[in-house]
Amino acid sequence: MDTLTIDLWTFDVGVDAATPEAYAAHMISRVQDSWQTGADVVVFPEYAWMGLESYVKGKDKLREVSDLFWHQLWPEVRSGLDSTGRIAVLGTVPFGDDGPGMRNRAPILCDGRELHQDKLHLTPWETVLLAGRELQTFTLNGVSFAVVICLDI
């Protein structure tokens, strides 16, 4: 590979979407548009999925956003972005399926593989989250990648 094109997106967590599915469709569309215009890698910001908070009603917003994303939306997002030769780093979303605590997790799709990176170094106000354990690395076309989130840099 002689060149690698990367698209960096901002994402308004207040995006006007009537349903959580429409919110996810908006994210999918942004990635697909980038890929169609030549991007190999698409990256969204930390907490891009916290816009889902407006669709949950209980007291434990992080847990509910986690459940909404990982159990209801993630299968559709994953299938909508299943692509070889490309990477999508989809911002971060709370993750709570691996134990009693929650993590700030970046879902990553790389060349048809499902990967993730948990935030390693939490900010002082992220007291309800657990830190990740290790930096994940992965490759695409001979290029090595790692996703560093916020203070992880």
Side-chain angles (χ1 to χ4, degrees):
M1 173 177 278
D2 292 338
T3 62
L4 184 69
T5 303
I6 300 173
D7 253 354
L8 303 173
W9 280 101
T10 59
F11 197 80
D12 180 4
V13 296
V15 68
D16 187 22
T19 65
E21 293 78 14
Y23 190 95
H26 191 63
M27 291 280 285
I28 291 168
S29 175
R30 285 249 176 118
V31 174
Q32 291 171 338
D33 289 349
S34 289
W35 286 347
Q36 288 174 357
T37 58
D40 301 295
V41 181
V42 180
V43 180
F44 285 92
E46 183 180 18
Y47 290 117
W49 291 94
M50 280 310 293
L52 296 175
E53 186 177 21
S54 65
Y55 304 103
V56 298
K57 302 298 179 209
K59 290 183 180 184
D60 190 348
K61 299 281 189 182
L62 288 179
R63 179 71 59 185
E64 290 181 53
V65 166
S66 174
D67 290 344
L68 175 59
F69 177 80
W70 295 104
H71 298 293
Q72 295 179 40
L73 301 176
W74 179 236
E76 183 68 27
V77 170
R78 190 187 189 312
S79 69
L81 298 176
D82 189 14
S83 180
T84 57
R86 300 225 164 90
I87 298 173
V89 180
L90 299 168
T92 66
V93 63
F95 179 81
D97 284 351
D98 63 350
M102 302 286 295
R103 297 184 189 282
N104 185 8
R105 177 164 287 182
I108 304 163
L109 296 170
C110 175
D111 201 26
R113 295 173 290 155
E114 180 180 330
L115 308 169
H116 72 272
Q117 177 62 53
D118 292 333
K119 187 172 180 179
L120 303 173
H121 298 92
L122 301 171
T123 56
W125 53 87
E126 291 176 306
T127 57
V128 299
L129 298 172
L130 300 173
R133 297 183 186 107
E134 63 185 293
L135 181 65
Q136 309 291 324
T137 60
F138 52 97
T139 61
L140 177 70
N141 298 332
V143 178
S144 295
F145 292 87
V147 173
V148 290
I149 304 166
C150 190
L151 292 180
D152 293 350
I153 193 73

